[in-house]
Every structure is written in structure tokens, then in C-alpha cells.
Amino acid sequence: MIGFREKAQAFLKDYRLDVPSIDHETVLRAFQDEMAAGLSGKESSLAMIPTYISVERPIPYHKPVIAVDAGGTHVRVATLVFDPEGIPHLDNFSKHEMPGFGSEMSRHDFYDRFVRYLLPVAALSDTVGFCFSYPAEISPEGDGKLLAWTKEIKAPEVIGDFIGRNIFDRLRKRGFHHSFILLNDTVSTLLAGKSAGMAKPFASFVGLILGTGTNTAYVECNRNITKLTNLNPAEKQAINVESGNFNKCPRSPLDILLDAATDNPGQNAFEKMISGAYLGRLSLVVLKRAAEEHLLRHEGACAIGDLVDLTTEEVNLFLKNPREAEPFGVKKMMDSDRALIRTLCSALIDRAAYLTALNIAAAVIQSGTGRDPLRPVCVSAEGSTYHKTKGLRRRTENYLCGILGSRGVYHEFVQSPDASLVGAAIAGLTRTGAGRNFPL
Ligand code: BGC
């Protein structure tokens, strides 16, 4: 008789959902090609957004700065001060819902919400670092024009707007004059990693986010950013890859099925294979197909058939506690079905870890550094999915060691608490030509 493990493995192989179905050399080559195309302004699924942020500047200390972290589900606001050792001290922290998360929001209400979130700290500093976890084209002045919403945020009227200008102009009307810089969360994470790893001689820096969405940032030589003509070729800057939109990774027919049911089919294909907004939903698509193909007994198949939604958090709790956690732990079903469900969900996490390792590896390799074991590349990895999902972080780190190790490239992970806020604060304090962003 075939056991649950063999059944699950055969199913995963048939649907090309298992790690051995991924040819990592092909995926890495495709990443490199798309990165090169994005840097030169050719058609590419990777936007490769220049940030005008250097990682070379020292952090001024004892100067307060307001930091904002507009993430997938929440907005966090705080003030920060760095001490002479570069240690950040955080104060006046508040946490709010991300406008447009869950239900649709008008343009007016969207900005009004941010103004309300910022008013309590608005007088505490004239400098703001604004971490914004969505694809935005950055202007040389440090504002960001929203290119598209990801993570199912619903505020369509805001697309195409300069986010910072719209918020800080409204605050100006209330008497507050801020100089601000807007940056992607991967860039904040990269900068926070740099400050956390300050004592070490790293060759370069990479930021990864794997939370509700996913993306990477790394440091590129200006001379390779040929789509811009006004850069000093001797300098370097952080690049926001927008790797969640990578569309050259082979997908399973079930990835395609999930994608078709999202608000933005065809966009962010890679993100939909690995990030927190989608892993639960993808698991449900996979489990429903397994039930249709009679991999489960009657009670197990009914339990899955009844489900209309499954979150990444629920999958994670089930993996941690398969005989007790909702929704499968408490349902009436054979333990062999529970074991099969667990094996399938765990395989999707394993694939997410492998693809995350490839995502990081692509950024590390593109930096062109890390060949000297004494000067590895610093990888700062953040996000709830990365840190909280059972086994994901450990497996990613193991896979990354294999992928980079076999190429003779050295890396090291660092972690910094409150990375998005800390990195935003660093960007605010170190931005070039600090002053007003726009002539008013
Ligand atoms: C966004 C990126 C962001 C990533 C991680 C993606 O959905 O497009 O800009 O960095 O999520 O938060």
C-alpha cells in the first residue's frame, strides 16, 4: 500500500511543486538577465529602481528623526535618535492600520489617515525617513511615485501619485515643514543591516523582505545603471530590485490557478509563490486539488472542501501543532490525512525557502563582491513570514549556503530589531542635500 509520504511526493512532482523540479542555475541566470535588462531600461520583469541612497555616509548622532514604516498591513511611526556608537534609540512609537488594507479607500481618506498618524510626532523633528513597502519610482529629490499596489491594497486613486509630497504638503498646511526621504522597505532593511554590522568589514549589503510581500535590495555601481545618465560613475547606490515581480521562475499549474484568482493576475508572480499574503491561499489551492484527486479519505476531503479561505498564519500554526491547531487539527479526519496535509503544506514552505535563497543569491551575485572570505556580503533579512514560519528561515539559510558556497561567494546574516524604522531613520539623517524636497 502506498503511504501518505509517497502519495504526497508523487503529487508534488506531477505538479512541479517540489524543490528538485527547480533548476537553480537556470533561475539564477534568468534573474541576472532580467536584472541587467532592468538596469539598462530594457523591458524586464525587474524594475531595478535606483534609490539615490548611498551606504557610505556616517550616521549623525544625537539628532532626532521621525521614522515611518508603511508596511503590508500596518503603519508604524516613531522618533529615533542614534548614539555615538550608532545604536538607535526609539521613542513615541505608535502602530496603525495600513490605509486601503481590507477595504477600498479614497485618495482623500488615504492621505488624511497618514496625516492623522503623523500629527502626534510632527513637531518632534523636521526630518522624516519614510519606509514604503510598495513599488515606487524614486525621484532624485527623494520622493516616491507609486507604480502599482501590491499585497491587495485597495486605494486605486493613489497610483501614480508622489506619496511623500501628498502627505507632507498636507502637514505643511498645518504649519509643519519637514524634509523627507521615501525608500523601499528592502532598502531600509539593507541600511539597518549596515548599521547592525558596522563593526565588520563587509564587502557589500543586501536587504531581503519576506513578509506579506517579498523583495530584495542590493548595492550597485552607478556605471552599471545605464538607464540614468546623470549619475557619478565612480559612486554606488542601493537598488530596489522589486524581485516579487520576477516572472521567469517556472510556475506550477497550481501557481497559475492561484494567480488567476488574485486582484492583479499576471503581476508579482514570484511573490505569489512565496510570500505571506499568498502562501496560505496557495496551500488551499494545492490541498483542494489533492482532495479532488482522491489523495485524502472522505472526511479529510470534506474538511478541505468546506474551507473557503486559509491564511499563512493558519498553515503555520497547523505545522507547529498538527493535532490541535485550526482548521485541520480539530476536524474529524484520519491521522494519515492530517499527515498528508502536513507534508503538502511543509513542501510549499520548503519551496518558498529555496526560492527565497535564490532571490537573495541573485542580489549577492549581482553585487559582484563576496569572493574574499574576510569580506563577506552582509545579508539583512526581515519579515514576519521569514522569521515566524516554521522551518522557513533555517531552510533558506541552508539552501543559500549551498548555492553561494558552490560559487565561492561568502555571505553573513545580520539582524537588527525594528529594521524598517531604523533604516528609514538612517536614510532621513544621511540623505544628500537635506532640506525641502520641493520648492514650495
Ligand atoms: C512590494 C515591494 C516590497 C515587498 C516587501 C512587494 O509587494 O512590491 O516594494 O518591498 O512587497 O514588502
Side-chain angles (χ1 to χ4, degrees), residues 133-135 150-151 184-186 209 213-215 240 242 268 271:
S133 310
Y134 302 92
T150 55
K151 305 167 188 153
N184 188 260
D185 53 352
T186 51
I209 299 282
T214 195
N215 189 12
N240 166 15
E242 284 297 331
N268 280 43
E271 176 161 288

Side-chain angles (χ1 to χ4, degrees), residues 357-385:
L358 288 172
N359 197 8
I360 300 172
V364 171
I365 294 166
Q366 180 66 26
S367 79
T369 62
R371 300 224 159 248
D372 175 354
L374 303 182
R375 297 184 72 235
V377 178
C378 172
V379 179
S380 172
E382 294 300 334
S384 50
T385 308

Side-chain angles (χ1 to χ4, degrees), residues 49 70-72 132-136 148-152 183-187 208-217 240-245 264 268 271 275 277-278 382-383:
I49 301 173
F132 188 66
S133 310
Y134 302 92
W149 282 120
T150 55
K151 305 167 188 153
E152 317 276 303
L183 66 163
N184 188 260
D185 53 352
T186 51
V187 181
L208 164 91
I209 299 282
L210 180 59
T212 314
T214 195
N215 189 12
T216 48
N240 166 15
V241 176
E242 284 297 331
S243 59
N245 196 43
N264 53 354
N268 280 43
E271 176 161 288
S275 81
Y278 304 98
E382 294 300 334

Side-chain angles (χ1 to χ4, degrees), residues 81-151:
V81 178
F82 289 84
D83 67 22
E85 275 75 53
I87 313 276
H89 298 269
L90 201 137
D91 211 349
N92 302 298
F93 179 83
S94 63
K95 184 174 169 184
H96 318 266
E97 187 173 277
M98 174 66 193
F101 175 70
S103 52
E104 184 161 328
M105 188 159 276
S106 72
R107 188 168 186 273
H108 172 273
D109 290 351
F110 180 86
Y111 293 119
D112 194 53
R113 282 283 189 97
F114 272 102
V115 169
R116 270 199 275 147
Y117 298 164
L118 277 159
L119 270 176
V121 293
L124 301 180
S125 169
D126 59 3
T127 306
V128 182
F130 195 109
C131 168
F132 188 66
S133 310
Y134 302 92
E137 183 186 321
I138 304 297
S139 65
E141 298 83 13
D143 202 350
K145 185 180 178 182
L146 178 64
L147 297 172
W149 282 120
T150 55
K151 305 167 188 153

Side-chain angles (χ1 to χ4, degrees), residues 68-302:
V68 182
D69 169 23
T73 52
H74 290 98
V75 178
R76 296 172 184 81
V77 179
T79 56
L80 278 96
V81 178
F82 289 84
D83 67 22
E85 275 75 53
I87 313 276
H89 298 269
L90 201 137
D91 211 349
N92 302 298
F93 179 83
S94 63
K95 184 174 169 184
H96 318 266
E97 187 173 277
M98 174 66 193
F101 175 70
S103 52
E104 184 161 328
M105 188 159 276
S106 72
R107 188 168 186 273
H108 172 273
D109 290 351
F110 180 86
Y111 293 119
D112 194 53
R113 282 283 189 97
F114 272 102
V115 169
R116 270 199 275 147
Y117 298 164
L118 277 159
L119 270 176
V121 293
L124 301 180
S125 169
D126 59 3
T127 306
V128 182
F130 195 109
C131 168
F132 188 66
S133 310
Y134 302 92
E137 183 186 321
I138 304 297
S139 65
E141 298 83 13
D143 202 350
K145 185 180 178 182
L146 178 64
L147 297 172
W149 282 120
T150 55
K151 305 167 188 153
E152 317 276 303
I153 293 293
K154 298 173 178 56
E157 292 167 13
V158 175
I159 296 173
D161 279 1
F162 277 99
I163 301 297
R165 184 191 307 193
N166 271 287
I167 296 169
F168 293 100
D169 273 1
R170 281 169 170 77
L171 279 165
R172 184 172 48 87
K173 290 194 183 116
R174 294 174 179 246
F176 299 104
H177 297 270
H178 294 106
S179 124
F180 63 87
I181 183 160
L182 186 141
L183 66 163
N184 188 260
D185 53 352
T186 51
V187 181
S188 296
T189 300
L190 180 153
L191 289 173
K194 178 182 156 66
S195 86
M198 217 129 70
K200 291 204 170 177
F202 287 115
S204 195
F205 300 88
V206 164
L208 164 91
I209 299 282
L210 180 59
T212 314
T214 195
N215 189 12
T216 48
Y218 74 104
V219 181
E220 182 60 88
C221 300
N222 281 353
R223 63 171 183 276
N224 294 336
I225 312 171
T226 52
K227 63 183 167 186
L228 294 183
T229 50
N230 55 348
L231 302 176
N232 178 345
E235 293 182 354
K236 293 181 174 186
Q237 64 175 284
I239 293 286
N240 166 15
V241 176
E242 284 297 331
S243 59
N245 196 43
F246 180 54
N247 69 5
K248 299 286 181 287
C249 186
R251 290 191 292 169
S252 154
L254 300 182
D255 291 310
I256 295 168
L257 203 63
L258 167 83
D259 181 27
T262 59
D263 284 354
N264 53 354
Q267 270 180 43
N268 280 43
F270 190 68
E271 176 161 288
K272 288 172 186 166
M273 299 167 85
I274 65 177
S275 81
Y278 304 98
L279 264 179
R281 290 164 71 177
L282 180 63
S283 306
L284 188 56
V285 170
V286 168
L287 294 176
K288 282 196 186 278
R289 180 56 62 93
E292 281 160 25
E293 295 193 359
H294 308 292
L295 266 72
L296 296 119
R297 284 161 199 262
H298 180 69
E299 285 163 336
C302 288

